Amino acid sequence: MYIKIVILLLTVSAVSGLPGLCDQTPRQAKVLTPSENNYFRLTIDTKNSSVYGLAQTYVLILESYEKVRPFRWFMITVEDASVDNNTMNFDYRSVDVGSLKTLDTNRLARYSERCYNSVENSDNSEKLRVEVHWVSPKENIQNKDQTVRLRAMVAENEEVWYVGDDLTLVLKKDDSKPLDQLPTTPLEKCYLCSEARYEVVFQGQWSRMLHPHQYPSKPDENEYSHMIGASHAYDYTLWKPDDNASPGLKTLAETANVTELEREIINAMSLEGGTRTLIRGKRRRHPYMSEPSDSIFRVDRIHHMFSVVVAIKPSPDWFLGVTRFELCTKLGWLEESTIPLYPWDAGVRDGISYESPTSVTTPVDAISRVAFGSFDKQSPFYQLNLNDMKPFAYLHVERLAVYPLKEDCEKEPTDEGDQEQENEAENLEEHIEEPVVQALSDNARNVCAVTKWSEWSQCMPYTGACGPGTQVRTRDKISNVNLHSQVDVEENPEVCRQSYNSGLTEFQECFVDCSDN
C-alpha cells in the first residue's frame, strides 16, 4: 500500500508540476542517464535570442546538426527560470511563462500529458526538424523581470537521449522602449503658466508593398476614416487598452463614421476638466491614403493631453491612434514628436482578416492589440510580431505657438535639489519668441472675450463621399484681453462659464452634391 501511494504522488507531480521540475526522461528509455556529445539543438527564430517581447509569438526549432542522425522522441517545456530541482512547493500555473502551441502541419507534436506547459512527439517516426510555437507572457505586475527557460529533450532510441546547454534557452524580458511608446509620461497636474497651440499630422503608410500578406483584394475600397480626437484633461479618456470601447468608438471602428464619437467629445467639453479642443482631420480614401490628414488644437494647464483615433477600412473593427499623449513637461510644452502607429482591435466584432466575414463579439472584449503573431494563415499578422511589422501610419505633433499667462499660476512643488531645473523652465517661458496674444498690456482687464469665428470647415458627409453631413466652426476664449485688440468682445458671461461648448463651437447641416464626385 505504501508503494502504491508513492507512485500515485509522483504521477500527480509529473502531470501538474507540483513540486519539482518536469522530468523529461523518455518513457521508453532503458538508460536513465542522458548521453554526452549532443548532436541536436534548440533555437528560437528571433533577432535577439536572449530576450523576448511581451505577448509575442515565436517559432522554436528543434533540429539535428547532421542529417544522418534523426531523432524519434522529444519533449519541450517552458518554465520559470528561477525554479530548479531544489525548489519545492511551487506551482507552474502561478507564474505566467507563456504557452506552447503545436502548429506544425505534419502533426509531429502534441500537448504532453506528463508535464504542465510541455509538448512532446506524437509518433515514433524519424525526425530531423520540428517547429513549435511559443506565445510569450503578458505583462506580469507581480514579477516584471520574468525570466523564462525553454528546455528540450531529444531521444534517438531507447538507450541514447540528450538534454543540456544546446537544448536549453534562457530568455529575459526585453526592456527596450516599445516602438510606439509615447515620449512623455502622463502628469496628473501641469504647472506651466501658459497655453500652447499644436498641429497634429496623420501620415498613412498602409500599402500592398509594406503590408502584403492578405492585403485587401479590392484596394479601391480602402480608406482611413477622419482623424478624430481632442485635447483634454487628465481625468478624461477617449480610449484606453484593456477598457471597453465607448459607443462612439464602437461606431467609428465598425463603420468609419465619426459623428457619434465627435458628439461624445463635444459633450465632455469643460473649463474644469474633460475636453477642450475637438481634433478633426480629413478622411483619406484610396488612392490618396498617403496624403496627410492634419488638425490644429490648443492645450492649457488643465487640458494638457491629447488623444486621436483613425479607423481602418476594410477591417472588422481595427483602428490606429494614440491615447493620453502628454504635452506638458518640466521644461515647457513639448516641441515636437513623431511616433509609428500599429493597429488596435476595438473588441466589438470578430474577424480574422481585412475582408473576412464578421460577427458581433459576445460578450464585448476590451480594446487590445490586433492578433499579432496570429496562428491563422488567413490573418494579415500570421506569425508576425510587432517588431517585425511596418507601421501603418506615423503621427507627428508639433508646437506652433506658446501664449504666456499673466494671471497667478499655481507653482509646482519642488525640492531644493530641483531648483536649478525649475529656474531653467521659468527662463524658457520668459524668452519664448513666438507671437503671443497682444492683449497683455497695462490697460488689460479680466473680461469675457473670444476670438473671431473661424471659417466653416469643409462639409463632412455622414457616410461615403457625398450626401448630407455637418460642418463646424470654432472660436477661443481669451482672458485679460486688451479691449482695443482685434477680437470680438462678448459681454455675455455664459460664453466663458462652465463649458467650452457654450458659445465656442457651432455646427450646421450641409450637403455634398453627389454629381460632383
Side-chain angles (χ1 to χ4, degrees), residues 179-245:
L179 297 176
D180 59 347
Q181 179 174 308
L182 299 181
T184 53
T185 303
L187 301 176
E188 187 170 356
K189 288 188 177 182
C190 175
Y191 293 94
L192 298 179
C193 198
S194 58
E195 298 184 359
R197 182 163 56 95
Y198 280 89
E199 179 182 39
V200 58
V201 180
F202 175 90
Q203 184 74 59
Q205 298 288 308
W206 183 32
S207 67
R208 187 185 299 276
M209 181 178 296
L210 297 179
H211 310 90
H213 192 59
Q214 298 296 334
Y215 191 77
S217 59
K218 301 177 180 179
D220 286 346
E221 299 179 2
N222 293 2
E223 68 170 285
Y224 295 121
S225 73
H226 297 290
M227 176 174 61
I228 186 75
S231 60
H232 59 84
Y234 183 84
D235 64 3
Y236 176 84
T237 301
L238 181 69
W239 68 276
K240 183 180 178 182
D242 301 324
D243 278 1
N244 289 342

Side-chain angles (χ1 to χ4, degrees), residues 71 90 131 144 165 178 180 193 199 300 307 319 328 330 348 366 377 381 412 441 471 482 499 502 514 517:
F71 57 94
F90 74 94
E131 291 187 2
K144 293 186 177 181
D165 293 341
D180 59 347
C193 198
E199 179 182 39
D300 55 45
S307 302
F319 68 92
C328 178
K330 287 189 175 182
V348 294
K377 291 186 178 180
F381 316 110
E412 179 179 7
S441 60
Q471 55 188 163
N482 185 336
S499 174
S502 176
C514 295
N517 291 273

Side-chain angles (χ1 to χ4, degrees), residues 2 13 70 85 91 116 126 134 310 319 393 403 406 420 424 430 438 487 494:
Y2 175 78
S13 173
N85 282 319
D91 184 349
Y116 189 70
E126 292 186 342
W134 173 55
V310 175
F319 68 92
Y403 307 97
K406 292 303 182 181
E420 182 178 348
E424 184 179 355
E430 289 176 1
Q438 297 179 0
V487 295
E494 291 299 322

Side-chain angles (χ1 to χ4, degrees), residues 384-499:
L384 189 63
N385 290 328
L386 180 62
N387 290 344
D388 304 322
M389 188 182 302
K390 300 296 184 182
F392 275 59
Y394 286 96
L395 194 75
H396 179 75
V397 59
E398 182 175 359
R399 191 185 72 197
L400 301 179
V402 174
Y403 307 97
L405 303 176
K406 292 303 182 181
E407 61 192 51
D408 291 335
C409 294
E410 179 185 1
K411 292 185 177 181
E412 179 179 7
T414 58
D415 297 329
E416 183 177 350
D418 295 332
Q419 190 62 47
E420 182 178 348
Q421 189 176 33
E422 180 182 4
N423 292 340
E424 184 179 355
E426 291 177 354
N427 183 63
L428 176 66
E429 292 183 7
E430 289 176 1
H431 292 84
I432 293 174
E433 296 181 356
E434 257 83 25
V436 297
V437 179
Q438 297 179 0
L440 304 173
S441 60
D442 294 336
N443 62 346
R445 63 184 179 88
N446 193 12
V447 298
C448 181
V450 291
T451 62
K452 294 181 179 180
W453 285 109
S454 67
E455 297 294 330
W456 286 105
S457 69
Q458 180 182 1
C459 186
M460 303 293 184
Y462 295 127
T463 59
C466 58
T470 59
Q471 55 188 163
V472 62
R473 67 175 184 174
T474 61
R475 57 181 177 177
D476 288 327
K477 172 201 165 196
I478 301 176
S479 299
N480 297 327
V481 67
N482 185 336
L483 298 182
H484 299 291
S485 61
Q486 298 299 313
V487 295
D488 293 332
V489 176
E490 184 72 58
E491 294 295 346
N492 182 357
E494 291 299 322
V495 176
C496 303
R497 185 181 299 164
Q498 296 182 354
S499 174

Side-chain angles (χ1 to χ4, degrees), residues 236-343:
Y236 176 84
T237 301
L238 181 69
W239 68 276
K240 183 180 178 182
D242 301 324
D243 278 1
N244 289 342
S246 69
L249 180 56
K250 175 180 180 294
T251 300
L252 174 69
E254 290 178 322
T255 68
N257 190 320
V258 302
T259 305
E260 188 171 359
L261 185 57
E262 186 178 78
R263 292 294 179 182
E264 290 178 359
I265 293 170
I266 293 172
N267 290 338
M269 288 180 174
S270 171
L271 289 172
E272 289 77 27
T275 61
R276 168 169 177 163
T277 306
L278 174 68
I279 296 174
R280 182 165 178 165
K282 290 183 178 180
R283 196 172 193 168
R284 294 301 186 192
R285 295 184 173 88
H286 184 273
Y288 306 109
M289 294 177 65
S290 61
E291 293 187 2
S293 174
D294 61 278
S295 183
I296 304 294
F297 65 93
R298 296 276 292 250
V299 291
D300 55 45
R301 50 197 284 114
I302 300 296
H303 312 86
H304 46 89
M305 301 177 174
F306 82 97
S307 302
V308 295
V309 290
V310 175
I312 302 174
K313 289 299 168 188
S315 76
D317 57 352
W318 301 341
F319 68 92
L320 306 171
V322 297
T323 180
R324 301 174 67 79
F325 194 125
E326 181 62 76
L327 298 172
C328 178
T329 75
K330 287 189 175 182
L331 298 180
W333 295 106
L334 183 71
E335 290 189 8
E336 64 178 326
S337 179
T338 301
I339 63 169
L341 301 181
Y342 302 91

